[in-house]
């Protein structure tokens, strides 16, 4: 069991949200059904494997935030069912509160250079999870905590991104830097954009709301700038696909659609639809590969 196993649920849930944004109901319903079934299954499997996780290792504690993000994404997609939203938001919050001290302790054991030598894209899952809590808090109209988690999410993103870029400058040849989770460098700021949009919707018009909107535009620009940079890395270093790569693509689609709603600029819709198509294609490829590997494993064990 990988500690970031819930990235599959994150990816499936966000592609479902992106499909719903564009009124593609059948695909959206199928995907959220898959995510809703996969989430408790993976929860049970992770609970059984819990003792095998080394909680002193930040490469374990930080990717485990994928569970928090998965609960938040599925909850956001099913927000019209308020009981479901409350339950999933509660699970996400409980896990976040439990994981934060473990993650801090696992990182505290290392000097800054030690953290630099371990940092990679998967560490951004801590920022993704925190921004996810901002989204579900906003959907529940809990304004104070929506603001707190949004700001915290941006702060964690800045810290993790600084560490990753420092490692790139120090040792760009490290194989850990060219895994599919490198895409979360973009996804971590794209979800902050979506969280800012949800927050802006529940704020009273005024200077604070204008400030949130301005920051949201900046975060979308940063996410957009990451795309060509990451494409160069993916092509030059032959980075494969994986669930951690599918999630950012779907998140960028949903964040861009939110920008279209905020600004009224129709070309945002076209960009969002394009990235939805890319995210869906990536989901099909990764899901197909996962199914084939599952069948091969079953054949070997038979």
């Amino acid at each position: 069991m990988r500690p970031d196993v819930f990235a599959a649920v994150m990816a499936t849930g966000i592609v479902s949200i992106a499909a719903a944004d564009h009124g593609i109901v059948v695909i959206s319903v199928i995907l959220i059904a898959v995510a809703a079934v996969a989430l408790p299954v993976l929860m049970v499997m992770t609970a059984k494997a819990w003792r095998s996780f080394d909680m002193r290792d930040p490469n374990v504690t930080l990717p485990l935030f994928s569970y928090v993000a998965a609960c938040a994404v599925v909850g956001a997609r099913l927000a019209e069912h308020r009981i479901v939203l409350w339950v999933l938001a509660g699970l996400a919050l409980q896990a976040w509160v439990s994981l934060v001290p473990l993650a801090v302790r696992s990182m505290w054991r290392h000097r800054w250079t030690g953290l630099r030598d371990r940092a990679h894209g998967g560490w951004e899952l801590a920022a993704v999870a925190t921004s996810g809590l901002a989204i579900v808090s906003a959907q529940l109209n809990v304004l104070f905590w929506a603001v707190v988690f949004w700001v915290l999410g941006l702060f964690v993103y800045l810290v993790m991104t600084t560490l990753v870029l420092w490692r790139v400058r120090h040792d760009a040849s490290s194989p850990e830097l060219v895994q599919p989770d490198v895409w979360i460098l973009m996804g971590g700021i794209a979800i902050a954009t979506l969280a800012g949009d949800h927050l802006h919707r529940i704020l009273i018009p005024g200077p604070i709301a204008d400030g949130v909107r301005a920051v949201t535009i900046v975060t979308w620009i940063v996410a957009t700038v990451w795309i060509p940079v990451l494409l160069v890395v993916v092509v030059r270093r032959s980075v494969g696909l994986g669930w951690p790569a599918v999630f950012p693509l779907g998140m960028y689609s949903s964040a861009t659609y939110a920008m279209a709603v905020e600004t009224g600029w129709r070309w945002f819709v076209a960009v969002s639809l394009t990235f939805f198509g890319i995210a869906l294609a990536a989901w099909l490829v990764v899901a197909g590969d996962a199914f084939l590997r599952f069948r091969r494993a079953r054949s070997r064990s038979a």
Side-chain angles (χ1 to χ4, degrees):
M1 287 291 294
R2 291 170 54 93
D4 65 349
V5 66
F6 290 95
V9 178
M10 293 166 54
T12 306
I14 195 57
V15 177
S16 173
I17 290 174
D21 287 339
H22 294 283
I24 309 174
V25 178
V26 174
I27 291 177
S28 180
V29 170
I30 291 173
L31 289 176
I32 195 56
V34 171
V37 170
L39 180 58
V41 171
L42 291 177
M43 288 170 65
V44 172
M45 293 174 65
T46 302
K48 290 182 177 179
W50 189 259
R51 291 184 179 180
S52 66
F53 294 141
D54 182 3
M55 293 302 173
R56 297 170 299 175
D57 185 357
N59 282 324
V60 172
T61 57
L62 293 171
L64 278 172
F65 277 95
S66 62
Y67 168 68
V68 179
C71 290
V73 169
V74 174
R77 173 60 183 83
L78 299 174
E80 66 272 19
H81 306 289
R82 303 303 285 181
I83 295 178
V84 175
L85 176 58
W86 274 106
V87 170
L88 289 173
L91 289 173
L93 178 61
Q94 184 275 329
W96 187 88
V97 170
S98 299
L99 285 172
V100 165
L102 295 174
V104 171
R105 186 173 62 182
S106 68
M107 295 179 72
W108 195 263
R109 297 176 64 248
H110 305 282
R111 296 178 180 271
W112 281 109
T113 52
L115 293 174
R116 175 202 64 192
D117 294 340
R118 291 169 173 79
H120 57 90
W123 285 22
E124 299 284 8
L125 286 166
V128 171
T130 308
S131 292
L133 281 173
I135 291 174
V136 293
S137 296
Q139 289 178 319
L140 292 169
N141 293 314
V142 186
L143 178 58
F144 174 78
W145 288 110
V147 173
V148 169
F149 285 125
W150 182 60
V151 173
L152 276 176
L154 289 170
F155 174 75
V156 174
Y157 177 81
L158 288 173
V159 172
M160 298 305 179
T161 302
T162 299
L163 288 171
V164 173
L165 293 180
W166 189 14
R167 185 176 186 181
V168 169
R169 184 178 179 182
H170 177 72
D171 182 19
S173 63
S174 173
E176 279 190 312
L177 293 173
V178 289
Q179 298 298 317
D181 63 17
V182 70
W183 280 101
I184 310 180
L185 288 164
M186 182 271 283
I189 197 67
I191 192 173
T193 302
L194 190 60
D197 171 73
H198 279 76
L199 180 57
H200 184 260
R201 294 180 195 176
I202 64 174
L203 283 169
I204 298 173
I208 296 178
D210 293 341
V212 170
R213 184 180 184 186
V215 173
T216 299
I217 293 172
V218 171
T219 56
W220 181 85
I221 292 172
V222 173
T224 304
V225 170
W226 267 119
I227 294 173
V229 175
L230 292 172
L231 280 174
V232 170
V233 173
V234 166
V235 172
R236 287 186 176 180
R237 302 293 296 275
S238 300
V239 180
L241 274 175
W243 293 121
V246 177
F247 170 77
L249 296 171
M251 181 53 70
Y252 184 79
S253 172
S254 190
T256 303
Y257 186 85
M259 290 295 295
V261 175
E262 280 286 308
T263 62
W265 297 346
R266 298 300 302 170
W267 63 270
F268 272 129
V269 177
V271 174
S272 173
L273 185 59
T274 298
F275 271 86
F276 163 69
I278 295 171
L280 179 61
W283 188 92
L284 290 170
V285 170
V286 176
D289 178 66
F291 177 73
L292 290 175
R293 285 189 286 109
F294 174 75
R295 287 194 61 182
R296 287 196 293 269
R298 287 287 298 275
S299 298
R300 288 195 296 268
S301 62

